[in-house]
Amino acid sequence: MLYGADYNPDQWPEEVWDEDVRLMREAGVNVVSLGIFAWSRIQPAEGVWDFAWLDTVIGKLHAGGIRVNLATATASPPPWVSAQYPETLPADESGASYWPGSRQHFAPSSPTYRRLAGELVRRLAERYVDHPAVAMWHVGNEFGCHLWMDFSDAARDAYRDWLGRRYGTVEALNAAWGTSFWSQRYARFDEIFPPRLAPYSHNPSSMLDWRRFTSDMLLECYLMEREILLAAGATQPITTNFMGPFKPADYAAWAPHMDVIADDCYPDPTNPHRIRDAAFQRDLVRSLKPGVPWILMEQATDAVNWRPWNPGKRPGVLAAETAQSVGRGADGIMFFQWRQSRAGSEKFHSAMLPHAGTGTATWRSVTDLGERLGALPELPPPGRDARVALVFDWENWWAVEERDHPVEIDYLALCLEWYGALHSRGLMVDIVPPEKVDDGYDLAIAPALYLLRDEGAASLTRFVGDGGTLLAGPFTDIVDGHDQFRSGGFLTQLGPVLGVRFEDFGALGGPTTGGTGVGAQAARASADGDRAPFRLGHVEATGSLVAELVHPVEADVVASFTDGRAAGSPAVTRHAFGAGEGWYVATMPDPVGLDAIVGAVVEASGVRPVVANLPAGVEAARRGDLVTVINHGDDEVVVTLAGTDAETGAPLGRTTLPAQGVLFAWAPIDSGPSPMPTSVDDSVATPA
Ligand code: GLA
């Protein structure tokens, strides 16, 4: 288990470094990410290099038995780069420059930036590639974090080249973008600009390519550095830190180029869905590289500095959040940062070693955590533990949130709601693009999969044909990979699987329709046609966003709208297809409806929770034979679980978990005839 933090000794005088290593050892630290923002210290001017300080620091860490995740230091170019090479600066959509003075002020597609960054990486690699302390390479930092898009001239030129490579001919591009519309037909690639400030909507197909290009430019920067490291003989794992569901970078496309997935996660203490959202993020990053443990590269020991309000963590929360990562596949727990900064924008951000020193609750909690993690037995790699797939797709995210649609969709929020109904049932869930849905799963849920590539449609169809249960909708299977309608209307790919014909979207009024304020919203809700209630068994639920008009061709109607414009038409359908079933939901259900629908498909598919009957606020996750149970609540609970305590070896039975308490248990999957591979044999958890 890796345990450590970002280490920025370049912010401190040399006298502090010995104390750092001594205290790191005391805290159980065995690895640090070194020098992520040290470019100006390593190369204070063009042609001037200073590695002496870095040699000293690495030497001290090595002597102390602390391994180094050596940063390539390319995330914040020094002042001389911006002053001498203004072409490295990025631009906003009006073409105005972003200026230096913060960090990440580089245009990812700038050849000059890449040349200068590449030179730095080459020097670092050649000097340290064989150093015994260097255990891993940390490329850049949170690519794209602050600057979601760059509209500079460097981007313009690179975009034209990228489009040329993608389409070959400008005719192919015109067809893919549908440029007959609004006189947008191009004669040459060099007539194309980034989607800079325009009077009205940009061509949506071009926006999709622009998003792909933006993700690719960031990835190219990573790959450029990776190739330099490999050329210098690096044999250590190479990675960069992801940010969970981060819209600008398609991490599913990046993952094959990472030796290990690293992720930064800062749950917001004020978010009522903090546990659900963090679980989603951890499941997402685990699913990017099945079978390979990931690293939590950054979390905060306590408060952050960058939200408008920054409360700290309540006692025990750090350990509980950490266990959520371990239980969901992490083999490394690291923080931003080791020693709290004395100056700069992040001087209020917590660290392992706070300003107030070692006589603090923070220090006690990080040393306790280090000791506990250090004593854990070797953990199995996260495998195919989930029988449920939540379909989540970056290209769809980009396309479904484009403007000029029937309704405004917040794709991530929607996916989190569907995920929440699975998480609250204690189910293990993988989060994957449609192409990755295979017969390793029993149930797949695809919310608002508006853009459905041919390959994705084929794999979902195969999945159901082979016996899987698919729940789709609403706003699914509407356009192809160019954001164009296919001929034949909508649900052209999944229609046969779902057994329905789709007629219209039935957009409902949104929260801003007809003015703002509570009165306006109430008036809207009661306005004719904007209500979408439906009944599922005994459950009275309401839909929002859309009440789509679908016709059952072969499907059974499970629930119908009882009022509003869609009254009488199906809200939920179910259809036997091949050896499996396709379900369709024609609206975005409220929490009660969502829970009832997810309950129905869970039952139909036979998937089982990791641990049955857990009290509210208690979650469990499986990685191989390890089951991690966490009590996120404020009251003590009693959990009854078959297995042994992975920390003490003691047999388990009724176990008391205090508030924020964590139990790591060995509880192998039932190898008997049960068709429920995610259930713990005979395990029942009961509330206190
Ligand atoms: C990000 C960055 C770090 C630091 C932290 C603060 O994760 O990678 O350099 O700024 O945020 O939370």
Side-chain angles (χ1 to χ4, degrees):
M1 181 66 66
L2 299 174
Y3 191 58
D6 282 16
Y7 181 36
N8 299 304
D10 43 317
Q11 293 179 12
W12 294 91
E14 193 166 341
E15 300 78 71
V16 175
W17 299 346
D18 286 322
E19 185 191 55
D20 280 336
V21 174
R22 182 175 62 75
L23 291 175
M24 283 175 190
R25 290 171 61 88
E26 194 176 313
V29 166
N30 56 23
V31 65
V32 291
S33 302
L34 180 62
I36 293 178
F37 295 101
W39 188 346
S40 72
R41 181 74 184 264
I42 297 169
Q43 192 186 13
E46 187 158 25
V48 180
W49 299 90
D50 178 5
F51 291 103
W53 69 277
L54 199 52
D55 292 349
T56 305
V57 174
I58 296 180
K60 285 180 190 293
L61 291 164
H62 185 50
I66 292 161
R67 284 176 287 177
V68 173
N69 171 28
L70 189 57
T72 58
T74 52
S76 191
W80 65 262
V81 170
S82 313
Q84 274 170 244
Y85 299 102
E87 72 270 27
T88 61
L89 293 170
D92 72 8
E93 65 172 349
S94 67
S97 181
Y98 288 100
W99 297 99
S102 178
R103 65 176 176 184
Q104 227 195 21
H105 44 280
F106 64 86
S109 40
S110 157
T112 308
Y113 166 75
R114 291 190 187 184
R115 178 175 63 77
L116 296 169
E119 175 69 1
L120 170 65
V121 179
R122 192 177 60 76
R123 297 253 180 174
L124 279 164
E126 285 172 356
R127 192 173 189 93
Y128 298 112
V129 75
D130 293 322
H131 197 295
V134 176
M136 194 159 58
W137 292 95
H138 185 292
V139 173
N141 191 64
E142 292 191 340
F143 277 100
C145 167
H146 306 297
L147 210 77
W148 282 32
M149 289 179 183
D150 165 38
F151 298 83
S152 65
D153 286 351
R156 176 200 60 202
D157 297 345
Y159 188 40
R160 290 171 180 172
D161 288 349
W162 183 93
L163 289 168
R165 288 195 302 278
R166 183 174 177 82
Y167 290 106
T169 66
V170 81
E171 290 75 28
L173 175 138
N174 281 316
W177 287 9
T179 53
S180 306
F181 183 77
W182 281 354
S183 180
Q184 293 171 350
R185 184 174 297 277
Y186 295 99
R188 297 191 317 270
F189 282 105
D190 63 9
E191 293 171 352
I192 300 169
F193 287 87
R196 291 176 177 161
L197 198 61
Y200 188 44
S201 318
H202 276 283
N203 177 315
S205 304
S206 80
M207 288 304 295
L208 179 57
D209 272 340
W210 171 251
R211 293 265 188 192
R212 290 180 174 126
F213 163 80
T214 293
S215 177
D216 276 3
M217 286 305 102
L218 296 169
L219 177 58
E220 277 188 8
C221 286
Y222 167 80
L223 289 174
M224 181 267 299
E225 296 196 23
R226 181 183 165 87
E227 275 149 27
I228 293 170
L229 292 169
L230 292 174
T235 52
Q236 303 90 340
I238 300 171
T239 192
T240 185
N241 41 351
F242 286 173
M243 293 159 278
F246 176 64
K247 188 174 174 184
D250 179 355
Y251 289 153
W254 287 50
H257 307 289
M258 316 266 295
D259 295 321
V260 56
I261 301 293
D263 188 56
D264 298 349
C265 185
Y266 292 91
D268 180 353
T270 66
N271 173 5
H273 300 296
R274 175 178 62 91
I275 310 298
R276 176 200 73 179
D277 295 0
F280 175 92
Q281 177 161 349
R282 306 190 205 287
D283 284 350
L284 173 69
V285 297
R286 183 199 57 245
S287 306
L288 289 172
K289 230 177 186 26
V292 182
W294 54 279
I295 297 174
L296 178 66
M297 189 60 90
E298 291 181 24
Q299 66 173 342
T301 59
D302 197 9
V304 302
N305 64 290
W306 42 265
R307 295 191 176 102
W309 298 88
N310 296 300
K313 297 186 200 246
R314 288 179 297 124
V317 165
L318 176 61
E321 288 182 348
T322 298
Q324 196 186 45
S325 286
V326 174
R328 291 172 191 274
D331 264 3
I333 298 297
M334 300 178 69
F335 296 95
F336 176 83
Q337 63 177 329
W338 162 249
R339 187 186 276 273
Q340 195 167 7
S341 297
R342 189 174 282 173
S345 301
E346 293 177 330
K347 60 185 181 294
F348 284 101
H349 195 294
S350 61
M352 292 183 87
L353 181 58
H355 290 307
T358 54
T360 53
T362 297
W363 181 253
R364 278 191 298 280
S365 71
V366 300
T367 51
D368 287 354
L369 189 59
E371 196 179 330
R372 189 168 183 189
L373 293 174
L376 280 179
E378 194 174 325
L379 304 180
R384 289 297 298 259
D385 299 308
R387 307 292 298 181
V388 183
L390 182 81
V391 177
F392 179 79
D393 186 78
W394 263 268
E395 292 198 343
N396 177 57
W397 192 357
W398 300 333
V400 78
E401 291 188 357
E402 261 308 309
R403 51 189 289 183
D404 307 318
H405 286 180
V407 288
E408 213 171 76
I409 286 182
D410 180 338
Y411 179 58
L412 178 58
L414 217 82
C415 289
L416 285 168
E417 286 195 38
W418 285 96
Y419 175 84
L422 297 162
H423 178 255
S424 66
R425 293 188 141 69
L427 296 156
M428 239 1 232
V429 180
D430 280 351
I431 299 171
V432 294
E435 289 79 2
K436 290 273 160 65
V437 175
D438 60 25
D439 60 9
Y441 302 108
D442 295 320
L443 172 64
I445 295 189
L449 192 58
Y450 158 83
L451 179 152
L452 181 58
R453 294 174 294 271
D454 295 350
E455 306 77 32
S459 82
L460 293 177
T461 304
R462 206 166 36 240
F463 167 72
V464 180
D466 289 348
T469 301
L470 170 71
L471 183 150
F475 214 60
T476 286
D477 182 11
I478 295 171
V479 297
D480 65 11
H482 296 302
D483 199 356
Q484 294 196 20
F485 293 134
R486 291 182 171 93
S487 64
F490 322 112
L491 280 185
T492 57
Q493 307 300 293
L494 297 179
V497 175
L498 303 168
V500 296
R501 183 172 65 79
F502 187 105
E503 184 181 327
D504 188 49
F505 301 101
L508 299 170
T512 54
T513 306
T516 54
V518 176
Q521 286 195 27
R524 178 193 60 71
S526 63
D528 183 37
D530 270 346
R531 286 174 44 73
F534 63 94
R535 191 177 306 115
L536 189 80
H538 299 301
V539 176
E540 301 276 353
T542 306
S544 63
L545 285 180
V546 288
E548 294 168 341
L549 190 55
V550 297
H551 303 282
V553 180
E554 291 177 313
D556 296 331
V557 177
V558 176
S560 297
F561 291 109
T562 53
D563 198 0
R565 267 176 294 147
S569 96
V572 182
T573 61
R574 174 180 192 172
H575 175 232
F577 177 85
E581 282 191 352
W583 291 60
Y584 193 72
V585 183
T587 187
M588 181 59 199
D590 60 8
V592 181
L594 199 70
D595 189 64
I597 294 167
V598 169
V601 289
V602 162
E603 200 186 314
S605 62
V607 290
R608 288 280 300 269
V610 175
V611 179
N613 307 324
L614 282 176
V618 179
E619 70 168 355
R622 171 175 291 286
R623 60 179 281 185
D625 286 349
L626 183 84
V627 168
T628 303
V629 184
I630 309 169
N631 175 17
H632 292 288
D634 290 329
D635 299 315
E636 158 181 311
V637 293
V638 172
V639 175
T640 307
L641 189 67
T644 54
D645 188 316
E647 292 174 287
T648 65
L652 290 168
R654 282 171 62 82
T655 305
T656 302
L657 273 182
Q660 310 300 328
V662 172
L663 173 67
F664 293 112
W666 293 124
I669 295 171
D670 179 12
S671 52
S674 160
M676 302 130 185
T678 57
S679 68
V680 174
D681 189 23
D682 289 328
S683 67
V684 181
T686 41

